Amino acid sequence: MTHEIWICGVLRAVGAFYALGSVFVLWGTLTSALVEQATAAIKLKPLSAAAIWRARWLAGSALLLLACGLSLIMLLSWAVPLFLLSTAGQALYLAVLAPRFFDPVDKPEAADRQGTRNALVVFAVVTALVLAVGSAGWLKHWRDHPEPI
C-alpha cells in the first residue's frame, strides 16, 4: 500500500510540474504576442500570418499541457489521451510546422530549438509513464473517484 501512495505522489508531482509550467508558458506566449503586436503597430507594419499562427499554436499547446497536468494531478484516465495528443502536437510542431512555416519568418537560436527537442524527449518519456500507469489501472474515470469531503 505504501508504494501506491508513493507512486500517486510522484504522478501528482509530475502533473503539478506540467500544470504550473504551462501557466508560465501561456503567460510568456501571450506577453510575447502582445509585444509583437505593439511593435508592429508602432512600425505601422502588420504582423505576419506565421507570427500570429505560431502564437495561437503555442497558446493552444500550453492549454493542452495544462489539461495534461491537471488530469494527472487528479489521477484521471483522461491523462492518457491528453498526453498522447500533446506529444503528437509537439512532434508535429518540431517536425513540420516550425521548419516549414514559423522558422523562415523568425529563425530561432540553435540552442533554443535543441532545448525544445530535449523537452519533447522528456515529455515522451513521461507520456510512456502515463500510458504504463493508465494500463495498470492507476488512473480512474472521474465517476469512479470517491466523493469529495
Side-chain angles (χ1 to χ4, degrees):
M1 186 66 169
T2 58
H3 72 282
E4 181 177 334
I5 294 171
W6 185 82
I7 291 173
C8 288
V10 168
L11 291 173
R12 286 187 167 125
V14 169
F17 170 78
Y18 281 114
L20 183 61
S22 70
V23 171
F24 289 119
V25 169
L26 185 60
W27 180 268
T29 298
L30 296 177
T31 302
S32 177
L34 182 64
V35 168
E36 286 179 359
Q37 287 178 343
T39 303
I42 290 170
K43 293 180 178 179
L44 298 174
K45 183 176 155 186
L47 276 177
S48 69
I52 293 169
W53 280 105
R54 181 183 60 226
R56 289 177 181 171
W57 179 272
L58 294 175
S61 296
L63 289 173
L64 180 58
L65 188 61
L66 176 62
C68 289
L70 292 176
S71 65
L72 199 55
I73 289 170
M74 296 182 280
L75 301 176
L76 293 176
S77 60
W78 293 350
V80 173
L82 289 172
F83 269 84
L84 287 171
L85 184 62
S86 185
T87 302
Q90 290 177 34
L92 176 67
Y93 179 84
L94 281 173
V96 178
L97 298 176
R100 292 192 182 152
F101 301 109
F102 303 139
D103 290 354
V105 175
D106 185 19
K107 195 77 170 156
E109 296 290 325
D112 292 340
R113 182 59 74 217
Q114 186 59 46
T116 305
R117 286 187 190 102
N118 293 344
L120 174 59
V121 170
V122 170
F123 194 77
V125 170
V126 171
T127 300
L129 172 70
V130 169
L131 283 170
V133 297
S135 65
W138 291 77
L139 304 176
K140 305 290 183 197
H141 190 276
W142 65 272
R143 288 187 217 140
D144 296 336
H145 279 278
E147 292 293 323
I149 296 174

